[in-house]
Structures are given as C-alpha cells and as structure tokens.
Amino acid sequence: MRHDTCILTTKDFAMLEALYDRYSSTSGKWRALLYRKLDTVNILFRDDVPPNVATLNSRVCFRIDSGDADTRVLSHDRMTLPVGLLLPLTSLRGLALFGLREGQAISIGDDEGQTEHILLERVLYQPEAARMEREAASRATLPASRRAAFRVVSGGLDVSPSSDRRRPFSDGSGDPGPSAA
C-alpha cells in the first residue's frame, strides 16, 4: 500500500466522484488534490473501514505544521451553522484529511504557494464505527428478546411401550384428524 493512499467507503468514493464532476471547470490545488485522492484510493465497504479512518461526518483531531491541535467534523459542504465546528470537503484542509488514518500526514499547497503539513492525530468519532457498535450491542440483547413463547417437551405424547410408535393415534392411521386443528 502506498503511503499517500486514502481509504474511503463506497458511498464516500461516489460522493468524491460527484464533486469531481460538479467542479469539473475549476482548477487549482483543490481539484488537483481531489484527483490525487481519487487516484490513490482504497475503496472498502462501510463495515470493513477501520475505526481510525476519517470518513464523512467523522470528528477528527488534527494538527497543521507545528501548530495547536484542532477538532472538527468533516462535512459534505459548507453549512451556515455551527460556525467553526465543521470542516467541509470543499475546503482544501477538509479534503486533505478525508480518508486518512490516524497518524497519517499529508502535505498540501494552497493557492498562494504555501505548503502545509497536516497530521491526522485522532479520529474521535466515526459514524461507521458507531453503527457497528450499536449493531453489536443490539445483537447482544437480541437472543433474550427472541425467546420462544412456548417450549417443546420431549415425550409429550402418552405412548405406552406396547403400542406401535409409528402409529401414535387411536385409529392407527398416523393422521391426527380434524380434532388436531
């Protein structure tokens, strides 16, 4: 696996392809980074994505160069509220963090010629991992809730040892008749 490889769910990959089509007329560092992400991606089903990968709507802690750590939620696009909480994929930093694993870093250049080194320190919350935890918890409680309302008891028929076991009914036909209904 290449060092600059990113990991995306099938849904996240489709979303990046849609962004690539939507912003086909744009140029610059963001589009080049988007192409780089699409070119170096490993696509996994959402159940197979490790919990330390930054996916859409993940809350991540990252550091730019040697600055202070910052925490944001990776979002699809710019939103009006809450200010300062979201980091959209339409921004260079949001796209750079998207698909990285904890401890993985990426260097990007902005449109002014400055290079930033972005390190994904930690994935604090990942929707796919949270869903897997919820499903595991529900499976743990499921058997108790699915207990049968009745029990099957062996030897429920009163058959004496001398009677024919192949014909347990009184007429010997093997058919319980209408009274069984």
Side-chain angles (χ1 to χ4, degrees):
M1 179 186 301
R2 292 172 41 175
H3 181 65
D4 61 346
T5 301
C6 69
I7 298 173
L8 297 176
T9 65
T10 53
K11 177 182 166 189
D12 291 348
F13 179 74
M15 185 191 54
L16 280 189
E17 281 188 319
L19 284 174
Y20 188 80
D21 291 341
R22 183 184 312 158
Y23 296 106
S24 61
S25 62
T26 62
S27 62
K29 303 290 182 178
W30 183 86
R31 180 145 169 97
L33 179 60
L34 178 59
Y35 181 78
R36 184 169 131 197
K37 289 275 183 180
L38 291 171
D39 190 43
T40 62
V41 68
N42 280 334
I43 304 167
L44 301 176
F45 292 112
R46 69 179 181 183
D47 293 343
D48 298 331
V49 173
N52 65 343
V53 173
T55 60
L56 188 64
N57 297 321
S58 291
R59 188 171 55 244
V60 297
C61 180
F62 63 97
R63 187 177 305 272
I64 298 172
D65 294 325
S66 60
D68 294 334
D70 196 0
T71 301
R72 301 284 178 96
V73 175
L74 296 178
S75 66
H76 180 266
D77 205 353
R78 296 194 189 281
M79 297 185 179
T80 56
L81 292 173
V83 176
L85 178 65
L86 304 177
L87 187 58
L89 298 181
T90 54
S91 71
L92 200 54
R93 289 178 179 171
L95 183 60
L97 287 166
F98 195 53
L100 295 184
R101 293 173 306 279
E102 287 179 358
Q104 191 175 6
I106 187 169
S107 295
I108 57 170
D110 62 14
D111 288 327
E112 292 144 14
Q114 302 294 325
T115 300
E116 293 181 337
H117 183 75
I118 301 175
L119 171 68
L120 177 60
E121 289 186 344
R122 185 127 168 117
V123 176
L124 303 170
Y125 170 82
Q126 184 200 68
E128 292 79 10
R131 185 184 62 76
M132 295 291 285
E133 287 175 10
R134 281 191 310 270
E135 286 179 1
S138 70
R139 276 193 305 269
T141 60
L142 188 62
S145 65
R146 283 200 167 183
R147 285 197 183 123
F150 63 93
R151 280 186 7 191
V152 176
V153 178
S154 176
L157 289 176
D158 185 27
V159 179
S160 64
S162 63
S163 67
D164 185 5
R165 291 190 186 269
R166 287 174 291 161
R167 297 181 186 182
F169 300 102
S170 60
D171 66 353
S173 68
D175 183 15
S179 64

